[in-house]
Amino acid sequence: MRVKERIAIKTDLAGLDGLKSLSQDTFLQSRLRSFSPARFGFGLLLHIVLLFIAYYISYQSLSIKPQYYGSFAILLGSYLFSCVLSGKAFINTLHDRYEILRKLNLSFFLTIGLFVLFLLVFQYDSAPRIIILSALVSGITLEALYYLILFSRRRAADEDEFPEHTEQSVKHPFRYVVVEFGLLLLIIALYRFLFLGTSPQQGYESVLYATILIGWVYAGMSSHRFNITESASSILQALLLLFKGFIILFALTALAVYYLMIPNPVFWLGAIGGYAAISTAMFFFVFSKQMNGKTEPTVNLFIRDFEEREQLDTTPKRKYCIKCEASYPDYPAELEHDYLKDYPDVFLLMNRSLELSTFSELKSRIRRTGDVYNFEILKNQGMELLVNLQKINDIRQINYYLRTVNKKLVPGGVFVSCVYPNVSRFQQTIESYPGGLGHIIYFFDFLWRRVCIKLPVIRKFYFGVTKGKDRAISLAETLGRLVYNGFEIMDLKLIHNNFFFVAKKIGEPVQDSTIKHRFFFRMKRVGLNGKEIVVYKVRTMHPYSEYIQKFLYERSSLEVGGKFRNDFRITSWGAVFRKLWIDELPMILNMVKGELKLVGVRPLSSHYLSLYSEEYRKYRSGFKPGLIPPYYADMPETIEEIEESERRYLNAYEKAPLRTDISYFLKAAKNIVLKGKRSA
């Protein structure tokens, strides 16, 4: 158990610490195990006692004045909230001294910051500042001594038992720290001169300056800012760590402004805000490329796994034949040396999945065009092979184009083309410009090539300028559009930053009115008695992604919790929405309509439901789905365990509906709040 705790303890609560998680399940289990009600209660009781002692010393009485009740209640709430946010409530004997002090300091500053913030929000002026500050400072000092002295012997025993363990070393790049410190001093001086002029310095300003500088050090230590490139695994995580450090510094400055009753507090808080903005921009430009190199795009991970599976699979594979009895032995050579002589990798892609000698040259066409007209004029409605070497990004009406191709192909006919996806566009953009300039250019390029095309008025101007060429589109949307328009994806390969695909016609295009590109959208799901319902959600996936669920399942695998491995359908901001449960909020409308209840099995797509056993699908259909599934109470890992978890819930629900739903709701709430379980 200690080994698991030692590994898991290197993570922190809800992403507030910048340490990498080695195993989510081990983390979730150790998080609850590391919570000690006794230690948590001791800290709370200690601060309450010190608060009364400080009050008694000031007023020689333990009878609290009524005007202070509100401020003490706000202080208590701020303390409890900060203990959870900072991770102090989960301090474990396996934490090293640096981690213990860091969590205590973070809790202290968060308590102060939240306390001052709530006072300002509620416009509460009655608060004994000196008493509260004395209690908090004394409490954090005694807690630090308690943890360091009490845990020192246990730590020594653990190190004897596990001699391989070493304390985490934190590097502080000298140049980065010096530049950051100089930037802070420069901005404070500029604000002082611009807003307060050259008037003589007051005594309170010296205390304020000292607080800001000391707070800068504490903020850097608490948020791993000084070694942020080591602590963060992506540019987004790095920006979150920076944001956390700025909040701590801002809280300390607000504390000093509040306690010293400094006039014009907005000027000083504005200085911290200006420093935060410039510091973030500086980090962005200096380290963005280094941070981007630490993570690999999900699309690339999927393709790499896809290729590795192909190489490791030694079972003989039969290539696809359009007509197995037909034979055109010369056609493959003509494709390789004539039609596709400048595209050898495309020929290899086609040749590894297609028996090209069964395709007729007379019923094949190789084009490189962005004009749908070149396919509309094909008189032959029985084409066997259509190849378009022009990327789909240059097609103005993609669905109409794909439906035209579908119409020209015989059943089982093959379509080969390519797309220049957003992931390739992003990688090439950031590699083409120094520092973080590539990120900025890509952002505006994405707005122009993706967002403007969806706006009613601006889209006319967009098409007038670009003629619909080189639009931004994701790989997930491209593949989804193919399936939506009656194709099955047979093969996929990255060739010179373009993803080439081999797709087979398997039917007519889908007619689905729910397909929209809007932020709020509708999805078809299976409800009570197998009836199809439409649920409302916030978009977290690329458009048309729901149509490639089967493709992803067949080419990938399920991770712990029943989620797809390397699911490239999820956008970067969509992953954040899922962790915060924002994507689930519109489903409350389904509850109002009576299609869902609060607790119940999740409404699933027909494909995902097909992964369950047939006997259980029939049993499951007799129950109304819910917003909070039993998964969050049991946290199963495999699809079989998920089915068993739902079965246990439904069996219990049949016997005692209300009691079962209350029990599962409380279990799910505990796992979500205390153990950090989120939708993936």
Side-chain angles (χ1 to χ4, degrees):
M1 182 179 296
R2 285 188 178 276
V3 174
K4 292 182 178 180
E5 289 181 350
R6 187 183 302 282
I7 295 175
I9 208 67
K10 293 181 180 178
T11 63
D12 216 327
L13 182 65
L16 281 175
D17 289 341
L19 300 177
K20 298 179 182 178
S21 174
L22 299 181
S23 169
Q24 185 180 14
D25 294 300
T26 308
F27 160 66
L28 294 174
Q29 296 168 5
S30 66
R31 174 58 65 187
L32 191 59
R33 287 199 304 267
S34 63
F35 176 73
S36 171
R39 290 197 297 268
F40 183 76
F42 167 77
L44 178 61
L45 180 62
L46 176 65
H47 279 79
I48 293 175
V49 170
L50 291 173
L51 185 63
F52 275 96
I53 292 175
Y55 186 88
Y56 180 80
I57 292 175
S58 298
Y59 294 100
Q60 299 298 313
S61 173
L62 291 177
S63 179
I64 300 177
K65 297 180 180 180
Q67 63 265 31
Y68 292 157
Y69 288 164
S71 61
F72 285 174
I74 292 175
L75 176 65
L76 181 61
S78 301
Y79 173 79
L80 294 175
F81 196 47
S82 68
C83 285
V84 177
L85 284 178
S86 64
K88 190 178 81 170
F90 309 102
I91 288 180
N92 189 277
T93 56
L94 298 176
H95 282 103
D96 56 38
R97 295 178 181 85
Y98 173 83
E99 284 294 300
I100 293 174
L101 292 177
R102 190 174 66 83
K103 292 178 185 295
L104 291 177
N105 287 329
L106 181 57
S107 174
F108 172 72
F109 294 127
L110 284 175
T111 301
I112 293 175
L114 291 172
F115 176 67
V116 173
L117 178 63
F118 289 142
L119 289 181
L120 294 175
V121 169
F122 295 113
Q123 297 181 349
Y124 202 94
D125 296 329
S126 299
R129 295 172 172 82
I130 301 300
I131 292 175
I132 291 175
L133 184 60
S134 300
L136 290 177
V137 172
S138 302
I140 199 69
T141 303
L142 292 177
E143 276 192 301
L145 292 175
Y146 163 76
Y147 282 113
L148 293 180
I149 295 175
L150 181 65
F151 288 1
S152 60
R153 293 185 179 181
R154 299 182 186 178
R155 289 285 301 164
D158 287 343
E159 288 172 1
D160 290 339
E161 184 178 358
F162 302 99
E164 74 282 357
H165 174 71
T166 57
E167 293 188 353
Q168 177 190 3
S169 59
V170 180
K171 300 177 181 179
H172 301 263
F174 179 74
R175 293 181 180 177
Y176 178 60
V177 175
V178 170
V179 172
E180 281 277 312
F181 188 74
L183 176 64
L184 179 64
L185 294 178
L186 177 62
I187 292 179
I188 292 176
L190 287 176
Y191 263 77
R192 172 68 171 75
F193 175 77
L194 292 176
F195 294 107
L196 300 180
T198 57
S199 58
Q201 184 177 5
Q202 303 296 324
Y204 65 78
E205 285 192 40
S206 300
V207 180
L208 178 61
Y209 296 152
T211 304
I212 293 176
L213 296 180
I214 294 174
W216 178 80
V217 175
Y218 275 116
M221 292 285 291
S222 301
S223 63
H224 290 279
R225 281 204 58 213
F226 299 147
N227 69 323
I228 196 168
T229 56
E230 298 291 332
S231 302
S233 59
S234 66
I235 188 68
L236 178 60
Q237 188 179 11
L239 292 177
L240 291 176
L241 292 178
L242 287 174
F243 180 71
K244 185 174 73 172
F246 295 142
I247 285 192
I248 297 173
L249 180 57
F250 190 87
L252 281 175
T253 306
L255 171 72
V257 169
Y258 176 75
Y259 272 93
L260 297 174
M261 300 182 182
I262 294 176
N264 301 320
V266 176
F267 294 156
W268 297 103
L269 296 179
I272 302 303
Y275 161 72
I278 297 175
S279 176
T280 301
M282 183 176 68
F283 173 84
F284 193 73
F285 277 98
V286 174
F287 294 109
S288 59
K289 281 194 174 181
Q290 180 178 345
M291 298 306 302
N292 285 323
K294 298 182 69 174
T295 56
E296 190 172 1
T298 309
V299 175
N300 292 353
L301 292 174
F302 172 80
I303 294 298
R304 187 182 64 190
D305 288 350
F306 178 79
E307 295 288 348
E308 289 179 354
R309 285 171 179 265
E310 292 290 328
Q311 295 175 2
L312 294 175
D313 190 359
T314 57
T315 58
K317 289 186 178 181
R318 184 177 180 182
K319 296 181 181 180
Y320 174 69
C321 301
I322 185 69
K323 290 181 180 179
C324 293
E325 68 278 5
S327 178
Y328 306 94
D330 297 331
Y331 189 47
E334 291 181 8
L335 282 173
E336 181 179 10
H337 302 295
D338 188 5
Y339 299 114
L340 297 174
K341 63 179 181 179
D342 295 329
Y343 301 89
D345 292 329
V346 177
F347 173 79
L348 292 176
L349 171 65
M350 294 170 57
N351 193 47
R352 80 179 184 181
S353 56
L354 305 176
E355 188 59 65
L356 295 174
S357 60
T358 64
F359 289 83
S360 170
E361 181 179 1
L362 298 177
K363 297 181 179 181
S364 302
R365 294 293 184 273
I366 289 84
R367 297 283 188 269
R368 183 174 181 177
T369 177
D371 192 345
V372 184
Y373 175 76
N374 290 301
F375 291 93
E376 290 177 326
I377 61 175
L378 292 175
K379 296 181 180 180
N380 189 350
Q381 300 288 327
M383 304 301 296
E384 296 178 352
L385 176 64
L386 290 177
V387 180
N388 190 3
L389 300 170
Q390 190 75 19
K391 57 188 179 182
I392 279 183
N393 310 69
D394 295 332
I395 308 295
R396 178 164 181 172
Q397 296 177 310
I398 297 179
N399 281 344
Y400 176 73
Y401 161 65
L402 294 177
R403 288 169 186 257
T404 300
V405 173
N406 180 293
K407 184 179 179 180
K408 297 299 180 181
L409 288 170
V410 299
V414 174
F415 174 51
V416 180
S417 190
C418 65
V419 63
Y420 179 57
N422 292 338
V423 61
S424 296
R425 187 186 299 273
F426 173 75
Q427 290 175 329
Q428 283 200 301
T429 302
I430 62 174
E431 290 174 0
S432 300
Y433 297 92
L437 186 60
H439 288 266
I440 298 175
I441 292 177
Y442 176 79
F443 173 75
F444 286 103
D445 180 77
F446 183 82
L447 288 180
W448 170 245
R449 301 186 184 279
R450 181 61 182 174
V451 179
C452 290
I453 198 175
K454 303 301 177 184
L455 302 179
V457 179
I458 301 179
R459 62 178 293 147
K460 294 182 179 180
F461 174 73
Y462 171 85
F463 282 116
V465 173
T466 66
K467 308 302 180 183
K469 296 185 180 298
D470 199 27
R471 71 166 68 182
I473 184 172
S474 66
L475 176 65
E477 179 179 347
T478 302
L479 301 182
R481 284 179 182 267
L482 282 167
V483 177
Y484 176 72
N485 287 287
F487 291 95
E488 176 187 327
I489 303 155
M490 302 176 65
D491 208 345
L492 188 66
K493 186 177 180 62
L494 178 62
I495 302 174
H496 303 305
N497 295 314
N498 290 328
F499 277 100
F500 277 81
F501 54 81
V502 178
K504 177 178 65 174
K505 175 181 175 179
I506 59 173
E508 297 301 317
V510 177
Q511 301 296 332
D512 188 354
S513 61
T514 64
I515 289 293
K516 300 291 183 184
H517 293 75
R518 297 170 182 169
F519 184 71
F520 296 99
F521 74 109
R522 300 178 296 165
M523 297 180 65
K524 292 182 179 180
R525 291 292 183 260
V526 179
L528 179 64
N529 297 323
K531 179 182 177 182
E532 186 179 82
I533 62 174
V534 176
V535 299
Y536 305 96
K537 297 197 72 175
V538 171
R539 181 171 297 282
T540 58
M541 289 186 176
H542 297 285
Y544 297 89
S545 292
E546 57 269 32
Y547 287 97
I548 58 172
Q549 189 175 76
K550 181 180 178 181
F551 166 78
L552 192 62
Y553 174 73
E554 293 174 347
R555 299 302 197 279
S556 186
S557 58
L558 295 180
E559 291 185 321
V560 172
K563 299 297 182 180
F564 288 110
R565 173 181 172 86
N566 297 326
D567 194 347
F568 59 90
R569 302 174 301 165
I570 302 174
T571 63
S572 57
W573 49 267
V576 176
F577 280 9
R578 290 187 170 208
K579 288 182 180 298
L580 299 176
W581 278 48
I582 295 176
D583 63 314
E584 306 282 0
L585 293 179
M587 292 177 67
I588 296 176
L589 294 176
N590 294 101
M591 292 179 57
V592 175
K593 293 171 63 176
E595 296 171 333
L596 300 178
K597 58 193 187 77
L598 180 61
V599 179
V601 293
R602 187 180 292 279
L604 300 176
S605 65
S606 56
H607 172 263
Y608 200 97
L609 193 61
S610 68
L611 302 180
Y612 291 165
S613 63
E614 182 178 358
E615 175 268 332
Y616 175 66
R617 291 200 302 270
K618 294 180 180 179
Y619 175 65
R620 189 184 194 270
S621 65
F623 298 87
K624 181 184 292 187
L627 183 60
I628 302 176
Y631 167 83
Y632 288 103
D634 300 338
M635 291 186 296
E637 297 184 356
T638 64
I639 189 66
E640 292 78 15
E641 292 178 357
I642 293 175
E643 178 178 326
E644 183 60 31
S645 170
E646 292 185 354
R647 191 188 297 272
R648 286 196 302 269
Y649 162 76
L650 295 176
N651 290 337
Y653 181 80
E654 282 187 304
K655 299 175 183 178
L658 181 59
R659 184 177 64 186
T660 300
D661 277 358
I662 293 176
S663 174
Y664 271 78
F665 176 81
L666 294 177
K667 290 179 181 178
K670 180 184 68 174
N671 289 335
I672 292 169
V673 175
L674 294 181
K675 304 179 75 175
K677 189 62 183 176
R678 294 292 185 270
S679 179

